[in-house]
Amino acid sequence: MSVRLTSQRYGKSSVRLTKVTRTADRHELMELAIDVALEGDFSESYLMGDNRRVVATDTMKNTVYALAADHGLTDPESFCLALARHFVDRNEHVTAAAIEAAQTPWIRIAGADGRPHRHSFVGGGSERRICGVRFARGADGEPATKVEAGIKGLPLLKTTDSAFRGFPRDEFTTLPETDDRIFATLLDARWTYAAGTIAVGAGGASGSEFDANETYERIRQTMIDVFADHKSLAVQQTLYAMGEAALGACAAITRVELAMPNQHRIPLNMVPLGKKNVNEIFVTTSEPYGLITATLERG
Amino acid sequence: MSVRLTSQRYGKSSVRLTKVTRTADRHELMELAIDVALEGDFSESYLMGDNRRVVATDTMKNTVYALAADHGLTDPESFCLALARHFVDRNEHVTAAAIEAAQTPWIRIAGADGRPHRHSFVGGGSERRICGVRFARGADGEPATKVEAGIKGLPLLKTTDSAFRGFPRDEFTTLPETDDRIFATLLDARWTYAAGTIAVGAGGASGSEFDANETYERIRQTMIDVFADHKSLAVQQTLYAMGEAALGACAAITRVELAMPNQHRIPLNMVPLGKKNVNEIFVTTSEPYGLITATLERG
Amino acid sequence: MSVRLTSQRYGKSSVRLTKVTRTADRHELMELAIDVALEGDFSESYLMGDNRRVVATDTMKNTVYALAADHGLTDPESFCLALARHFVDRNEHVTAAAIEAAQTPWIRIAGADGRPHRHSFVGGGSERRICGVRFARGADGEPATKVEAGIKGLPLLKTTDSAFRGFPRDEFTTLPETDDRIFATLLDARWTYAAGTIAVGAGGASGSEFDANETYERIRQTMIDVFADHKSLAVQQTLYAMGEAALGACAAITRVELAMPNQHRIPLNMVPLGKKNVNEIFVTTSEPYGLITATLERG
Amino acid sequence: MSVRLTSQRYGKSSVRLTKVTRTADRHELMELAIDVALEGDFSESYLMGDNRRVVATDTMKNTVYALAADHGLTDPESFCLALARHFVDRNEHVTAAAIEAAQTPWIRIAGADGRPHRHSFVGGGSERRICGVRFARGADGEPATKVEAGIKGLPLLKTTDSAFRGFPRDEFTTLPETDDRIFATLLDARWTYAAGTIAVGAGGASGSEFDANETYERIRQTMIDVFADHKSLAVQQTLYAMGEAALGACAAITRVELAMPNQHRIPLNMVPLGKKNVNEIFVTTSEPYGLITATLERG
């Protein structure tokens, strides 16, 4: 039997980092969970257990902390880029490094004087700001960098302005048409920045006009606003409108992938209970759920 | 062998309810996960499978939805009280009903005009407002009601103003003393309202001056503010200060139980990495964790 | 405002320990997650941040590992007892120590020769063997020890021999009676050993005839067998039969607490789909669920 | 701004099905969680909210149950294939249907007579048997079918015969080399059956010699056996050996993807505790973890 090793990839996952940056009147907090993965030719390890080319995953973990000490860490994107580049630069046999980061949201507490508190925070929910960087060594020696950012698990709900009508019916269709349902979801969105938008620099997106944090907040808020006001005829339509608005909100993004579960709130038939349900009482469910996805690209 | 049945209790857990209340310019949303448990003499079912006294847990579930249709549901406390009372009133052999509710937090989105959106919401995090009501049939026929409310899983973090010194040392003690550490926790607090604070009523805390929602928000904010500003010498001390402030914030609460895990952020020794860690770089951990608890009572 | 501290308790949770004990022909593996909690007078820490009486939770963690090195660790019960006793013996102001342990199940793989493998294991599921020890300093200086053991989260399912009939009906009852339903649960059971059953000893339940491991396996198997063969008229009845059998299986246990969720498999009405459901097709649900509990005591 | 919709895909996730098949002396139990996803041209829904081509996800759910009633359901693979084909056959605008299934493992309890119990089961752990089928309408009208099967989350641990040496060292490398460590993982494996291995049929892999269940068990056991006996010089090497053995165990599989986290058990330095750790006491960790992956193809 002949066997080929057609993909090789390994790394360290869930490296959890807290960095505090202190200035006179303010402490900045960054908490990230980071996954590092390397691709390349490690076949001597897979085939023979010869580890001469296997950067230890423990070393990857140490590197995350070491580079975090030297980096401004004002945004996840530039740090992930610095990490990815480090591993490719250091290791000739590594053809690509992929870094994923998920940032824990912390909201600065309002201080007693009404101004933002110097150093205290309250948790910002289960939502995560994410970013993914892939730094690949090109065949010609030129690197190819891909920087993605996004949001994972943002809960959204509207109590009206959501319909679902006109869908095909067959012998297994029992769902009634509706003009007024609850629309609840948990938004995942991931967008791609055009090449060169974010540069590597020790202090963040250095030397650049581009503000990754402001951009993230703007895209997030744009999608929330579209969700809130959309007259939805289908989850698909609202998802598309949100993606289109995200592309419109930032010229530097070329592509956005969205996934929106339809977390059903099912109107309860209360006739057997001797009551009328005037679109008020719903059974909240977690499964099964609809899952609507799409990718939108500019141009 | 002789065996006695010394405790009997059963019910339905995780009944998930969404209620939407619509007025001309505003939709109100309430989402609760409710646990119902009944106590009493059900021994004929346990011993012989005779279910004449076993209110079906499916009936409990239906009752939650049916009573929700008739109730204003402006706050969880009065609804849980109505539910508990229903089961005891209906069933002579039930000696007590215990209802637990956990409310999913939803934050009204700001509308395009800057005012709160009429019907759209963003998720408020993994934190839950909880309430627990126990309605027991007294030996003399007089009911005993206990209403508790609280908060579960509120993430709090401060980057300084936390010390831990002067603890005993033995041969298994390796922890250095510190004047400046990160203090991260996930607050659980549960308080008890004095008897009669919350009355049963179809529309909420009817006929009463007491506002369960405003009270909840006030206590929550008070605890957050104390956490933010406390010069902590021990998690115990901060916990106590938060509990004391909660009692101070509302004369109607007689008792508060608090639990605060110490979710360690461990300063990394970076000397082996050729770097100095100036209290900046921390390993974020989820286990093991300290767990500090106390109960405070008025008077 | 006067405030009293009516309960004080703190400790370290989720200390995760792996111990390997090697003999010539066999490696023994023990994996435990351990919670340590101390009770006593720590009020100077709560009130003033004076930590002279606060055994650091980090020291508790170290103590778990240190004592594990000296202990045979052939069963969780004797180790938890040694731990609890250590903290009370060492600290005069500690009135009680409570230790909880949850053991990860690993099943020895059958070796190539059909005999148990010397050192390789496959995971035994989400079920956990648990134990809880409380060692309290008596008012008279005599300690009071309580040793509990049990099982958490054992999934059990039978496809028939489960009925539910004769329950009361009111206007909110819609559940049909049934003679043949699926019975699926996730057993939690926790029993108490009579005082003196398990003694402290470096090597396990030393000097004693009592075998905590064999006892655990016997009680677990007894409950499984009763579940399998019981003609169930109610979850309550099956639960009681299982508890009674547990008491019957081991004279050293005085009390058993059981909790059994009723994890509903709901027969789907397939008439709208043009089909007949002959008790074959079920919707598997995780919420809401029934929750049936009881405590049985000997004598 | 011009925007293109470059991917469209939606469906129903986590449809949970229990089917009981009764014969005179034995009840068979199948529990699956099924995800259905359709691809095709649904752009009128995304762009305009016109749902004429949007098979409701509720209809997908009903279809799972309806087809389950008609299908033997002796294995997941043939059922997923029947489902995928149904959606493509029914809907001209659907270009592909992808079905994923995860089977809950239940182990038949030994009956009182030592023989397998007729109808009672105990849970088989967190491990899941999975399968994934993709049925795509070919450009030429000829369908392309891909059937994958696998295992998700099988815990494996060996206490010795695992080394890690000879890896590169740089200024961020602190990991010592080791000849004897614990190797703990949670195996994910997913393999592809050659075209035509599994045919669609109402009763399972009909008309075929191929036994999907026996094949699954054989591949699973083969990988466990290799893990148990391998003298591991790297997780990579053991993973490769397991993949190679899987390909060797079944000529009908053409490709296998494996992912094995390295769930570290870290030997504790006990010198500060005044003790020597003779490779006995380990800190069990869940994060960070190594993650080793590869794909092997027959070739």
Side-chain angles (χ1 to χ4, degrees):
Chain A
M1 185 179 65
S2 129
V3 173
R4 287 175 304 130
L5 190 55
T6 57
S7 154
Q8 309 178 39
R9 181 184 167 114
Y10 79 99
K12 194 72 142 197
S13 291
S14 206
V15 179
R16 295 182 61 198
L17 162 70
T18 300
K19 180 166 187 177
V20 177
T21 307
R22 294 173 173 81
T23 59
D25 59 348
R26 204 175 160 96
H27 288 192
E28 300 293 341
L29 172 68
M30 174 68 79
E31 292 210 328
L32 297 174
I34 291 176
D35 300 339
V36 175
L38 304 185
E39 297 169 26
D41 180 5
F42 314 107
S43 51
E44 287 168 357
S45 176
Y46 284 96
L47 299 179
M48 293 174 292
D50 177 335
N51 298 315
R52 271 175 292 179
R53 292 182 145 198
V54 177
V55 177
T57 67
D58 190 76
T59 301
M60 297 179 195
K61 177 192 71 178
N62 287 343
T63 304
V64 169
Y65 293 113
L67 268 61
D70 292 339
H71 193 279
L73 253 177
T74 53
D75 64 279
E77 287 82 1
S78 62
F79 180 58
C80 291
L81 197 49
L83 270 172
R85 192 161 170 167
H86 171 93
F87 291 111
V88 173
D89 284 354
R90 279 288 178 97
N91 300 285
E92 277 185 27
H93 63 289
V94 167
T95 53
I99 313 291
E100 290 285 323
Q103 183 182 357
T104 306
W106 288 103
I107 298 167
R108 201 174 284 273
I109 293 171
D113 55 359
R115 293 193 308 180
H117 199 283
R118 179 172 161 271
H119 60 253
S120 295
F121 302 84
V122 64
S126 48
E127 156 194 2
R128 291 288 177 272
R129 174 174 169 183
I130 55 169
C131 96
V133 167
R134 186 182 165 84
F135 190 84
R137 192 187 303 281
D140 53 358
E142 283 303 291
T145 306
K146 185 176 181 184
V147 180
E148 297 181 321
I151 188 165
K152 190 163 179 56
L154 173 67
L156 295 168
L157 185 151
K158 56 198 299 181
T159 55
T160 190
D161 281 353
S162 171
F164 188 52
R165 305 190 66 85
F167 49 87
R169 306 193 78 87
D170 69 7
E171 76 271 33
F172 301 144
T173 304
T174 58
L175 186 75
E177 307 213 327
T178 177
D179 284 317
D180 194 5
R181 61 175 182 175
I182 292 179
F183 182 173
T185 192
L186 202 62
L187 174 67
D188 285 352
R190 187 175 174 117
W191 54 86
T192 308
Y193 288 113
T197 304
I198 297 185
V200 175
S206 70
S208 152
E209 300 293 295
F210 186 79
D211 183 332
N213 296 333
E214 186 274 332
T215 302
Y216 173 80
E217 292 300 338
R218 182 156 29 94
I219 295 175
R220 178 182 181 275
Q221 193 58 50
T222 297
M223 290 191 294
I224 291 174
D225 290 344
V226 170
F227 175 82
D229 288 330
H230 195 248
K231 309 291 184 194
S232 176
L233 298 174
V235 173
Q236 283 85 341
Q237 191 199 19
T238 304
L239 179 150
Y240 184 86
M242 291 166 71
E244 191 178 31
L247 287 169
C250 174
I253 72 176
T254 57
R255 181 181 189 274
V256 57
E257 272 180 67
L258 298 107
M260 288 170 64
N262 191 354
Q263 299 185 308
H264 311 294
R265 268 61 175 173
I266 300 173
L268 185 66
N269 174 16
M270 299 187 75
V271 172
L273 310 181
K275 298 192 181 287
K276 203 175 156 188
N277 185 359
V278 290
N279 204 20
E280 265 191 339
I281 301 293
F282 303 84
V283 179
T284 321
T285 64
S286 44
E287 58 186 15
Y289 56 92
L291 182 57
I292 317 301
T293 70
T295 305
L296 282 67
E297 296 189 46
R298 192 183 298 279
Chain B
M1 183 179 67
S2 129
V3 173
R4 287 174 303 129
L5 190 55
T6 57
S7 155
Q8 308 179 39
R9 180 183 167 113
Y10 80 99
K12 193 72 141 197
S13 290
S14 206
V15 179
R16 295 183 61 198
L17 162 70
T18 299
K19 181 166 186 176
V20 177
T21 306
R22 294 173 173 80
T23 59
D25 60 348
R26 204 175 159 96
H27 288 192
E28 299 293 341
L29 172 68
M30 174 69 78
E31 292 210 327
L32 297 174
I34 291 175
D35 300 338
V36 175
L38 304 184
E39 297 168 27
D41 180 6
F42 314 107
S43 50
E44 286 168 357
S45 176
Y46 283 97
L47 299 178
M48 292 174 293
D50 178 335
N51 298 316
R52 272 175 293 180
R53 292 181 145 200
V54 178
V55 177
T57 66
D58 190 76
T59 301
M60 297 178 194
K61 177 193 71 177
N62 286 343
T63 304
V64 168
Y65 292 113
L67 268 63
D70 292 340
H71 192 278
L73 254 178
T74 53
D75 63 278
E77 288 82 1
S78 63
F79 180 57
C80 290
L81 198 49
L83 270 173
R85 191 163 172 166
H86 172 92
F87 291 111
V88 173
D89 285 354
R90 279 288 177 98
N91 300 285
E92 279 185 24
H93 63 288
V94 167
T95 53
I99 312 291
E100 292 285 324
Q103 183 182 356
T104 306
W106 288 103
I107 298 166
R108 201 174 283 273
I109 293 170
D113 55 0
R115 293 192 309 180
H117 199 282
R118 179 173 162 270
H119 60 254
S120 295
F121 302 84
V122 65
S126 49
E127 154 194 3
R128 291 289 178 271
R129 174 175 170 182
I130 56 170
C131 97
V133 167
R134 185 182 165 84
F135 189 84
R137 192 187 303 281
D140 53 357
E142 283 305 292
T145 306
K146 184 176 182 184
V147 180
E148 297 181 321
I151 188 164
K152 191 163 178 59
L154 173 66
L156 294 169
L157 184 151
K158 56 198 298 181
T159 55
T160 189
D161 281 353
S162 172
F164 188 52
R165 304 191 66 85
F167 48 87
R169 307 193 77 87
D170 68 8
E171 77 271 34
F172 301 144
T173 305
T174 57
L175 186 74
E177 306 212 327
T178 177
D179 284 317
D180 194 5
R181 61 176 181 174
I182 292 180
F183 182 173
T185 191
L186 203 61
L187 174 68
D188 284 352
R190 187 174 173 117
W191 54 86
T192 308
Y193 288 113
T197 304
I198 298 185
V200 174
S206 69
S208 152
E209 300 293 295
F210 185 79
D211 183 332
N213 296 333
E214 186 275 331
T215 302
Y216 172 80
E217 292 299 339
R218 182 155 30 92
I219 296 174
R220 177 181 180 278
Q221 193 58 49
T222 297
M223 290 191 295
I224 290 173
D225 290 343
V226 170
F227 174 83
D229 288 331
H230 195 249
K231 309 291 184 194
S232 177
L233 298 174
V235 173
Q236 283 85 341
Q237 191 199 21
T238 304
L239 178 150
Y240 184 86
M242 291 166 71
E244 192 178 31
L247 287 167
C250 174
I253 73 176
T254 58
R255 180 181 189 274
V256 58
E257 272 180 66
L258 296 106
M260 288 170 64
N262 191 353
Q263 299 185 308
H264 310 295
R265 265 65 174 173
I266 300 174
L268 185 66
N269 174 15
M270 299 186 76
V271 173
L273 309 183
K275 297 191 182 287
K276 202 174 156 188
N277 184 359
V278 290
N279 205 20
E280 265 191 339
I281 301 293
F282 303 85
V283 179
T284 320
T285 64
S286 46
E287 58 187 13
Y289 56 92
L291 183 57
I292 317 302
T293 70
T295 304
L296 282 68
E297 296 190 45
R298 191 183 298 278
Chain C
M1 184 180 69
S2 127
V3 172
R4 287 175 304 129
L5 191 55
T6 57
S7 155
Q8 308 177 40
R9 181 184 166 111
Y10 79 98
K12 193 72 141 198
S13 291
S14 206
V15 179
R16 296 182 60 197
L17 161 71
T18 299
K19 180 165 186 176
V20 177
T21 306
R22 293 172 174 81
T23 60
D25 60 348
R26 204 175 159 97
H27 289 193
E28 299 293 341
L29 172 69
M30 173 69 77
E31 292 210 325
L32 297 174
I34 291 176
D35 301 338
V36 175
L38 304 185
E39 297 168 27
D41 181 4
F42 313 107
S43 49
E44 287 167 357
S45 176
Y46 283 98
L47 299 179
M48 293 174 292
D50 178 334
N51 298 315
R52 270 175 294 181
R53 291 180 147 200
V54 177
V55 177
T57 67
D58 190 76
T59 302
M60 297 178 194
K61 177 193 71 177
N62 286 344
T63 304
V64 168
Y65 293 113
L67 267 63
D70 293 338
H71 192 279
L73 254 177
T74 53
D75 63 279
E77 288 81 2
S78 63
F79 180 57
C80 290
L81 197 47
L83 269 173
R85 191 161 172 168
H86 171 91
F87 291 111
V88 174
D89 285 353
R90 280 288 177 97
N91 300 285
E92 278 186 25
H93 63 288
V94 167
T95 53
I99 313 290
E100 291 285 324
Q103 183 181 357
T104 305
W106 289 103
I107 298 166
R108 201 175 283 274
I109 293 171
D113 55 0
R115 292 193 308 180
H117 199 282
R118 179 174 161 270
H119 60 253
S120 296
F121 302 84
V122 65
S126 48
E127 155 194 2
R128 291 289 177 270
R129 174 175 170 183
I130 56 169
C131 96
V133 167
R134 185 183 165 84
F135 189 84
R137 191 187 304 283
D140 53 357
E142 282 304 292
T145 306
K146 185 176 181 184
V147 180
E148 297 180 322
I151 187 166
K152 189 160 181 61
L154 174 66
L156 295 168
L157 184 151
K158 57 199 297 182
T159 55
T160 189
D161 281 353
S162 172
F164 188 52
R165 305 191 64 87
F167 48 87
R169 307 193 77 87
D170 69 8
E171 76 271 33
F172 301 143
T173 305
T174 57
L175 186 75
E177 305 211 327
T178 177
D179 283 320
D180 194 5
R181 61 176 181 174
I182 292 179
F183 183 172
T185 192
L186 203 61
L187 174 67
D188 285 352
R190 187 175 174 117
W191 53 86
T192 308
Y193 288 113
T197 304
I198 298 185
V200 175
S206 69
S208 152
E209 301 293 297
F210 186 79
D211 182 333
N213 295 333
E214 185 277 330
T215 303
Y216 172 81
E217 293 299 340
R218 182 156 29 93
I219 295 174
R220 177 182 180 277
Q221 194 58 50
T222 297
M223 291 191 294
I224 290 173
D225 290 344
V226 171
F227 174 84
D229 288 330
H230 195 248
K231 309 291 186 194
S232 177
L233 299 173
V235 174
Q236 283 85 341
Q237 190 198 20
T238 304
L239 178 151
Y240 183 86
M242 290 165 72
E244 191 178 33
L247 287 168
C250 174
I253 73 175
T254 58
R255 180 180 189 275
V256 58
E257 272 179 66
L258 298 107
M260 287 169 65
N262 191 353
Q263 299 185 307
H264 311 294
R265 266 64 173 173
I266 300 174
L268 185 67
N269 174 15
M270 299 187 76
V271 173
L273 309 183
K275 297 192 181 288
K276 202 174 156 190
N277 185 359
V278 290
N279 205 20
E280 264 191 339
I281 301 292
F282 303 85
V283 178
T284 321
T285 64
S286 45
E287 57 187 13
Y289 57 92
L291 182 58
I292 317 302
T293 71
T295 305
L296 282 68
E297 296 189 45
R298 191 183 299 278
Chain D
M1 184 180 67
S2 129
V3 173
R4 286 175 304 131
L5 190 54
T6 57
S7 155
Q8 308 177 40
R9 182 183 166 113
Y10 79 98
K12 194 72 141 197
S13 290
S14 206
V15 178
R16 296 183 60 198
L17 161 72
T18 299
K19 181 166 186 177
V20 177
T21 306
R22 294 173 173 81
T23 59
D25 60 348
R26 204 175 160 96
H27 288 193
E28 301 293 341
L29 172 68
M30 173 69 77
E31 292 210 326
L32 297 174
I34 291 174
D35 300 338
V36 176
L38 304 186
E39 297 168 27
D41 180 5
F42 314 107
S43 51
E44 286 168 357
S45 177
Y46 283 96
L47 299 179
M48 293 175 292
D50 178 334
N51 298 314
R52 270 175 294 180
R53 291 181 146 198
V54 177
V55 176
T57 67
D58 190 77
T59 301
M60 296 178 195
K61 177 193 72 177
N62 287 344
T63 303
V64 168
Y65 293 113
L67 268 62
D70 292 339
H71 192 279
L73 253 177
T74 52
D75 63 279
E77 288 81 1
S78 63
F79 180 57
C80 290
L81 197 49
L83 270 173
R85 190 161 173 168
H86 171 92
F87 291 111
V88 173
D89 284 353
R90 279 289 178 99
N91 301 284
E92 278 185 26
H93 63 289
V94 167
T95 52
I99 312 291
E100 291 285 323
Q103 183 181 355
T104 306
W106 289 103
I107 298 166
R108 201 173 283 274
I109 293 170
D113 55 359
R115 292 193 309 179
H117 199 282
R118 179 173 160 270
H119 61 254
S120 295
F121 302 84
V122 65
S126 48
E127 156 193 2
R128 290 288 177 271
R129 174 175 170 183
I130 55 169
C131 96
V133 167
R134 184 181 167 85
F135 189 84
R137 192 187 304 281
D140 54 355
E142 283 303 292
T145 306
K146 185 177 182 184
V147 180
E148 298 181 321
I151 188 165
K152 191 164 180 55
L154 173 67
L156 295 169
L157 185 150
K158 56 197 297 181
T159 55
T160 189
D161 281 353
S162 172
F164 188 52
R165 304 190 67 86
F167 48 88
R169 307 193 77 87
D170 68 9
E171 76 271 33
F172 301 143
T173 304
T174 57
L175 186 75
E177 306 213 327
T178 177
D179 283 319
D180 194 5
R181 60 176 183 174
I182 292 180
F183 182 173
T185 192
L186 202 60
L187 174 67
D188 285 352
R190 186 173 175 118
W191 54 85
T192 307
Y193 288 113
T197 304
I198 298 185
V200 176
S206 70
S208 152
E209 301 291 296
F210 186 78
D211 183 332
N213 296 333
E214 186 274 332
T215 302
Y216 172 81
E217 293 300 339
R218 182 155 30 93
I219 295 175
R220 176 181 181 278
Q221 193 58 49
T222 297
M223 290 191 295
I224 290 174
D225 291 343
V226 171
F227 174 83
D229 288 331
H230 195 248
K231 310 291 185 194
S232 178
L233 299 174
V235 174
Q236 282 85 340
Q237 190 199 20
T238 304
L239 179 150
Y240 184 86
M242 291 166 72
E244 191 178 32
L247 287 168
C250 174
I253 72 176
T254 58
R255 181 181 189 273
V256 58
E257 271 180 66
L258 297 106
M260 288 171 64
N262 191 354
Q263 300 185 308
H264 310 295
R265 268 62 175 172
I266 300 173
L268 185 66
N269 174 16
M270 300 187 74
V271 173
L273 309 182
K275 297 193 182 287
K276 202 175 155 189
N277 185 0
V278 290
N279 204 19
E280 265 191 340
I281 302 293
F282 303 85
V283 179
T284 321
T285 64
S286 45
E287 58 187 13
Y289 56 93
L291 182 57
I292 317 303
T293 70
T295 305
L296 283 67
E297 296 189 46
R298 193 182 298 280

